[in-house]
């Protein structure tokens, strides 16, 4: 049956758009379980040891892919055990899901040292110093650790190219100075000498609420459709100027909730796209700790964007990470998210003990019409979840998007199958 559920109603003043649950998608998934131990809630993927196979890394360790010499073989992951190698000098830690927090809130890989080997950036915990770890080029032992900045605030930092120079920047808040901005990757020599240069974009101080280490919601996108990437939070957006490094970015206040009044939702990853084909850009966001996946319709147009909230899904909680990528290869980006298990322990958030699910929402666009979202459960992802971050990309070289997670349910790979 194509449509298992279809709704079109109003809920708490929010437009609940036509959505559906489908069970006949050709997109299927296979789970590869690396381990069930809680090591971190952020994860990245790279060929760490340069053997031609993608490895998995969190804030504690990297997991060596046991691949053989046939990377297109669907079973090459299962040819042996995944070997764990420590990042830190004090070894590999394990944490308790109900009560502990890890030292790996967000993780990315990049060749910072310029030696051809992938290094690792780790956001330890919101508001504390963040570091990068230098790949030892296949040698045993811990990785050399260098501080990037003294305060990595906001629970959804980003590592994206906001300047347009072809290299990603680390985008986050710095709590003591109450500023938001980005850190460009320095030269290999400078990366080891001390903190990276922080480019502040806000003119006035953020204030203690927006600058708080546990502030929820951050993204990058072209809000006003001028071809430049802006910084977006639930309280507003900073407009990138025509030229960088010529003063602060202009802040435009908005409230990502309802019709734009009161306090905004506490969000996670934020994306910007024209969802209804009317020529201006809308916003996508999910709830970090409560319940909701939403899109925010731009009802003000490009020169002066204003946003109206619409519900995509309100059936599961703690969607603390969200991706917007083309899952089924139809040329339209889709949403991928799931439940973060025990985000605040067993009793801290709504439905904390509910099923730990993974979903992708197929997006259909029609010019001048609201977008349609078809909800697909990732059955193989049940009891995995999202953490504060997860990874989406082609892990096994078959040109299909896969999912990798490391969180309080352990470390897992979900391979897309057709």
């Amino acid at each position: 049956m194509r449509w298992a559920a279809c709704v079109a109603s109003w809920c708490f003043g929010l437009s609940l758009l036509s959505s559906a649950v489908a069970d006949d998608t050709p997109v299927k998934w296979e789970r590869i379980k690396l381990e069930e131990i809680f090591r971190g809630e952020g994860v990245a993927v790279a060929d760490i040891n340069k053997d031609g196979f993608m490895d998995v890394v969190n804030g504690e360790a990297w997991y060596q892919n046991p691949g053989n010499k046939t990377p297109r073989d669907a079973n090459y992951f299962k040819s042996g055990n995944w070997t764990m190698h420590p990042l830190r000098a004090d070894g590999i830690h394990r944490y308790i899901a109900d009560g502990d927090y890890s030292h790996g809130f967000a993780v990315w890989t990049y060749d910072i040292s310029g030696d051809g080997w992938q290094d690792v950036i780790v956001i330890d915990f919101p508001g504390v110093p963040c570091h990068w770890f230098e790949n030892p080029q296949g040698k045993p032992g811990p990785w050399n650790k260098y501080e990037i900045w003294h305060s990595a605030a906001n629970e959804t930092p980003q590592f994206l190219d906001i300047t347009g120079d072809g290299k990603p920047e680390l985008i986050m808040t710095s709590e003591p100075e109450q500023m938001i901005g980005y850190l460009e990757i320095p030269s290999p020599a400078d990366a080891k000498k001390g903190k990276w240069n922080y480019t502040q974009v806000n003119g006035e101080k953020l204030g203690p609420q927006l600058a708080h280490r546990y502030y929820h919601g951050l993204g990058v996108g072209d809000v006003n459709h001028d071809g430049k990437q802006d910084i977006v939070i639930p309280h507003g957006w900073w407009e990138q100027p025509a030229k960088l490094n010529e003063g602060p970015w202009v802040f435009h206040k908005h409230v990502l909730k309802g019709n734009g009044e009161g306090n905004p939702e506490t969000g996670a990853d934020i994306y910007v796209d024209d969802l209804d084909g009317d020529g201006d850009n809308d916003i996508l966001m999910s709830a970090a700790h409560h319940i909701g996946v939403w899109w925010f319709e731009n009802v003000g147009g490009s020169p002066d964007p204003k946003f109206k909230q619409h519900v995509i899904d309100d059936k599961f909680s703690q969607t603390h990470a969200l991706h917007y990528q083309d899952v089924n290869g139809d040329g339209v980006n889709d949403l991928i998210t799931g439940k973060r298990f025990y985000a605040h322990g067993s009793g801290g958030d709504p439905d904390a003990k509910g099923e730990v699910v993974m979903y992708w929402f197929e997006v259909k666009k029609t010019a001048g019409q609201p977008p349609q979202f078809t909800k697909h459960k990732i059955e193989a992802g049940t009891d995995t979840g999202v953490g504060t971050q997860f990874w989406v990309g082609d892990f096994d070289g078959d040109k299909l998007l896969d999912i990798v997670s490391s969180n309080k349910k352990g470390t897992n790979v979900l391979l897309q199958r057709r």
Side-chain angles (χ1 to χ4, degrees), residues 168-326:
E169 287 80 39
L170 191 57
I171 303 154
M172 62 188 191
T173 304
S174 188
E175 188 175 34
E177 303 87 353
Q178 296 185 13
M179 64 182 181
I180 190 168
Y182 58 89
L183 299 101
E184 297 181 79
I185 300 171
S187 68
D190 289 341
K192 299 181 181 181
K193 290 181 179 178
K195 297 178 186 178
W196 298 4
N197 291 327
Y198 191 109
T199 299
Q200 178 180 347
V201 305
N202 57 303
E204 298 181 358
K205 286 189 175 183
L206 297 179
Q209 180 186 15
L210 273 60
H212 198 278
R213 63 185 59 195
Y214 301 138
Y215 184 88
H216 286 87
L218 180 64
V220 170
D222 183 6
V223 178
N224 60 339
H225 222 288
D226 67 350
K228 294 186 177 297
Q229 297 295 294
D230 309 305
I231 296 177
V232 192
I233 62 173
H235 280 85
W237 59 285
W238 285 269
E239 180 181 354
Q240 184 172 157
K243 291 184 179 180
L244 294 173
N245 304 316
E246 291 189 358
W249 299 18
V250 175
F251 180 68
H252 303 268
K253 183 180 179 180
H254 64 213
V255 174
L256 293 184
K257 186 173 184 177
N259 289 318
E261 299 177 354
N263 294 316
E265 302 281 7
T266 52
D269 297 277
I270 298 174
Y271 297 93
V272 179
D273 192 14
D274 183 3
L275 295 168
D276 51 9
D278 62 355
D280 55 38
N281 280 335
D282 310 296
I283 287 176
L284 293 151
M285 189 173 76
S286 62
H289 292 283
H290 55 298
I291 297 172
V293 181
W294 315 286
W295 79 281
F296 297 84
E297 179 186 1
N298 186 344
V299 295
S302 293
D304 185 24
K306 292 179 174 58
F307 298 98
K308 177 183 178 181
Q309 183 178 19
H310 301 282
V311 175
I312 298 171
D313 190 89
D314 60 357
K315 303 302 182 187
F316 63 105
S317 67
Q318 302 171 98
T319 48
H320 209 299
L322 179 72
H323 277 265
Y324 186 50
Q325 297 189 49
D326 184 4

Side-chain angles (χ1 to χ4, degrees), residues 104-143:
F105 227 70
V107 181
W108 299 278
T109 58
Y110 194 86
D111 181 13
I112 297 169
S113 59
D115 59 2
W117 295 75
Q118 290 293 304
D119 307 304
V120 177
I121 295 172
V122 176
I123 304 292
D124 186 303
F125 192 76
V128 304
C130 57
H131 302 84
W132 70 277
F133 293 79
E134 185 178 13
N135 193 319
Q137 302 181 357
K139 302 179 181 67
W143 298 30

Side-chain angles (χ1 to χ4, degrees), residues 325-342:
Q325 297 189 49
D326 184 4
V327 174
N328 57 356
D330 66 353
V332 179
N333 282 351
D334 308 296
L335 290 172
I336 312 104
T337 190
K339 186 184 190 73
R340 178 189 173 196
F341 178 60
Y342 282 7

Side-chain angles (χ1 to χ4, degrees), residues 348-361:
D349 290 328
D351 195 31
K353 296 182 179 179
E355 183 181 30
V356 182
V357 291
M358 289 290 295
Y359 288 100
W360 70 280
F361 296 83

